[in-house]
Amino acid sequence: MIKRSVNLLTGILLVLTGLIITPLPIPLGLILVVLGLSVLVTVLPSLRFSLTRLRCRYPAISLKLRSLSPKLPGFARRLLDHTDPDHKDNHPPG
């Protein structure tokens, strides 16, 4: 329970910090947003579901993200894997 709370707080702080510093010329804000989302996706199943649905709605963007995935660092690759609509773990049981 404590670990989940810490991860939730960390993810929210990373996303908020990233959004605040996004207008800076260095793309550190985007990196922080992606890092925060990768933490939050593991804690909030509803966020994972929402991002997966968003990627289902826009398959061209999802395909482009899938092709970029091998070139990204581990935390960003995990975020894309967790929200990939074609990933085997993201389908509802049945």
Side-chain angles (χ1 to χ4, degrees), residues 29-50:
L30 294 175
I31 294 170
L32 289 177
V33 169
V34 171
L35 185 61
L37 284 175
S38 67
V39 171
L40 289 175
V41 160
T42 61
V43 177
L44 300 172
S46 59
L47 179 64
R48 180 186 303 182
F49 178 72
S50 297

Side-chain angles (χ1 to χ4, degrees), residues 17-30 32:
T17 304
L19 289 175
I20 291 170
I21 65 172
T22 295
L24 295 177
I26 301 171
L28 182 62
L30 294 175
L32 289 177

Side-chain angles (χ1 to χ4, degrees), residues 2-15:
I2 292 174
K3 182 178 178 183
R4 184 178 189 277
S5 299
V6 168
N7 284 342
L8 184 64
L9 182 63
T10 302
I12 290 171
L13 288 175
L14 284 170
V15 169

